[in-house]
Amino acid sequence: MEKRIVLLGSGELGKEFVIACKRLGQYVVAVDSYANAPAMQVADAYEVINMLDGAALDAVIAKHRPDIIVPEIEAIRTERFYDYEQQGIQVVPSAKAANFTMNRKAIRDLAAIDLNLKTAEYRYATSEASLRAAVAEVGMPCVVKPLMSSSGKGQSVIKSQNDISKSWQYAVEGSRGDLVEVIVEAFIDFDYEITLLTVTQQNGPTLFCPPIGHRQERGDYQESWQPMPMLEQQLREAEQMAAKVTEALGGAGLFGVEFFISKTAVYFSELSPRPHDTGMVTLAGTQNLNEFELHARAVLGLPINEIQLLKKGASAVILAAADSHSPRFMGIDAALSVPNSDVRLFGKPTSRPYRRMGVALVYGDLDKEIDYVTSQAKKVAARVSVVG
């Protein structure tokens, strides 16, 4: 049952997805805007194009005639996906899901207005002047995010009037694609945030991974851990909300659904229609199937009987500190001397300050304290340095 898969976006998440697909005997073409991207290093073939160029995207699809198209990033001319579905190509999870979730406006309105899920109060802005008006309505502090961005790029917190202008400029600089619009969210006084990996199947029930906790800096995740201790009632509420929004989007695949959890409420935050960066903790062997294996099975229509928590685990990012066209790593031996540890280096051909170049992983028995496992992962990451 070999399928021809075109992967749109070839970063570290795409690389692990390709590995999972290759283990199931699939043929994968990795596409990105630069050569030697991580997923290209393990794929059967690759293409280098600007995926916001509709004609270039059409040409790649016509050339490779895939059975399945799997988007891995936001900056894609996703409206073309509807036509590809009409041609009989499976779009993951679906053309509707890809279009809605590549744009924070579409997915937020679907969740808050159509599905009546609890979210932060929010407004949209298309200029610095309209941003000022939006901030006046939702109040300060508030969070500003580009409608199209990834890994926290362009995201900032406005605490005073003096922050508005620089927040607008930062959002514009961090926006992906050709859409210049932001979402302004009222600040929620939450206790913690989680990612609930949610798997929809072609011929089976929707399944949920144990919740993943995470910490962010500069809008990007720094550590994640699984499971996140939380009240059973709040977990069930998050699962119900995740099931509702993924059902509305349709299709099969793994979604990363993010929630803010306060003492009294569960708030829907965001959704990604693909493996999630915080879900890299599953590479520590926390589950019987990691998030990439789950995505591959769901995409291919293969059965997933259950998701079992086997271990506690944590991940911590390995960041670059400088620009380099030939990054190298030091300290791997010291990092791997930490018990129950592993390191995944992504193989990115260049580095820049704060660019995620790898991830440290640590696992422990289910009776281990999650704080201990997380501290061990941070220790492993701290021993690895990016040089060059």
Side-chain angles (χ1 to χ4, degrees):
M1 55 153 282
E2 180 184 90
K3 300 285 187 179
R4 182 173 288 254
I5 299 170
V6 165
L7 175 68
L8 299 177
S10 298
E12 58 265 32
L13 303 179
K15 183 176 186 176
E16 294 293 339
F17 174 71
V18 173
I19 292 170
C21 288
K22 293 305 299 175
R23 287 175 173 154
L24 292 171
Q26 308 307 304
Y27 182 95
V28 186
V29 180
V31 182
D32 213 312
S33 59
Y34 65 98
N36 200 32
M40 294 178 184
Q41 299 164 20
V42 292
D44 298 279
Y46 70 90
E47 298 283 351
V48 178
I49 65 165
N50 174 6
M51 287 171 284
L52 286 169
D53 182 336
L57 191 59
D58 287 347
V60 165
I61 300 306
K63 174 181 176 180
H64 291 282
R65 294 165 33 200
D67 301 294
I68 306 172
I69 296 172
V70 180
E72 194 244 354
I73 63 170
E74 288 84 0
I76 304 171
R77 193 61 66 187
T78 54
E79 65 270 17
R80 301 293 305 130
F81 290 172
Y82 291 109
D83 185 56
Y84 301 153
E85 277 192 342
Q86 290 294 314
Q87 297 173 31
I89 302 170
Q90 176 188 343
V91 177
V92 174
S94 67
K96 178 181 178 181
N99 272 277
F100 272 59
T101 54
M102 294 300 179
N103 183 318
R104 286 188 171 99
K105 187 173 191 175
I107 190 62
R108 177 56 62 89
D109 287 350
L110 172 70
I113 299 172
D114 298 346
L115 301 178
N116 200 31
L117 303 186
K118 186 184 289 291
T119 70
E121 185 179 354
Y122 64 97
R123 300 288 187 277
Y124 301 114
T126 55
S127 66
E128 184 177 329
S130 59
L131 175 59
R132 289 185 182 278
V135 170
E137 290 186 27
V138 302
M140 292 183 283
C142 58
V143 180
V144 176
K145 305 173 187 175
L147 289 190
M148 289 184 66
S149 69
S150 63
S151 300
K153 294 180 178 65
Q155 180 174 322
S156 63
V157 177
I158 292 177
K159 298 179 181 178
S160 70
Q161 291 290 328
N162 294 333
D163 295 332
I164 295 177
S165 181
K166 61 184 179 183
S167 285
W168 171 254
Q169 291 301 321
Y170 184 59
V172 170
E173 292 166 5
S175 181
R176 301 184 76 164
D178 47 12
L179 181 67
V180 182
E181 189 170 2
V182 301
I183 184 171
V184 186
E185 296 180 329
F187 196 81
I188 296 174
D189 185 18
F190 62 91
D191 294 330
Y192 57 91
E193 50 191 321
I194 65 166
T195 304
L196 187 63
L197 299 178
T198 303
V199 185
T200 58
Q201 303 187 71
Q202 294 179 21
N203 299 294
T206 295
L207 301 175
F208 306 98
C209 298
I212 295 169
H214 50 92
R215 184 182 68 83
Q216 296 190 41
E217 283 181 13
R218 300 172 299 276
D220 202 2
Y221 113 96
Q222 303 299 301
E223 296 108 36
S224 64
W225 52 91
Q226 187 187 37
M228 174 71 202
M230 60 186 298
L231 294 174
E232 187 72 16
Q233 178 183 344
Q234 291 189 315
L235 176 57
R236 296 286 89 83
E237 187 176 347
E239 289 178 349
Q240 290 168 8
M241 294 167 75
K244 189 178 288 189
V245 70
T246 54
E247 181 182 358
L249 292 169
L254 180 138
F255 295 78
V257 191
E258 296 180 66
F259 295 93
F260 295 119
I261 313 295
S262 74
K263 288 182 174 61
T264 59
V266 176
Y267 297 87
F268 172 85
S269 174
E270 293 188 348
L271 180 146
S272 299
R274 56 188 178 275
H276 200 270
D277 50 8
T278 63
M280 283 191 282
V281 65
T282 62
L283 293 171
T286 54
Q287 304 179 163
N288 57 318
L289 296 166
N290 68 46
E291 67 167 340
F292 308 99
E293 293 165 336
L294 289 168
H295 197 43
R297 284 203 189 190
V299 166
L300 295 167
L302 297 173
I304 304 168
N305 295 317
E306 62 178 340
I307 299 172
Q308 292 180 318
L309 180 69
L310 304 179
K311 305 167 187 172
K312 288 185 177 175
S315 74
V317 296
I318 297 169
L319 302 177
D323 294 297
S324 174
H325 290 286
S326 56
R328 293 174 292 110
F329 297 88
M330 296 184 64
I332 302 297
D333 51 347
L336 295 180
S337 68
V338 176
N340 301 334
S341 68
D342 197 2
V343 169
R344 301 291 174 94
L345 305 179
F346 302 147
K348 294 179 178 178
T350 62
S351 68
R352 57 179 178 269
Y354 300 117
R355 190 177 197 191
R356 194 163 59 214
M357 303 297 289
V359 65
L361 302 163
V362 169
Y363 66 87
D365 294 335
L366 291 175
D367 60 358
K368 281 284 187 186
E369 291 293 329
I370 200 70
D371 288 347
Y372 172 77
V373 181
T374 304
S375 67
Q376 289 292 92
K378 290 163 68 175
K379 180 189 296 185
V380 173
R383 293 183 179 185
V384 181
S385 56
V386 185
V387 299

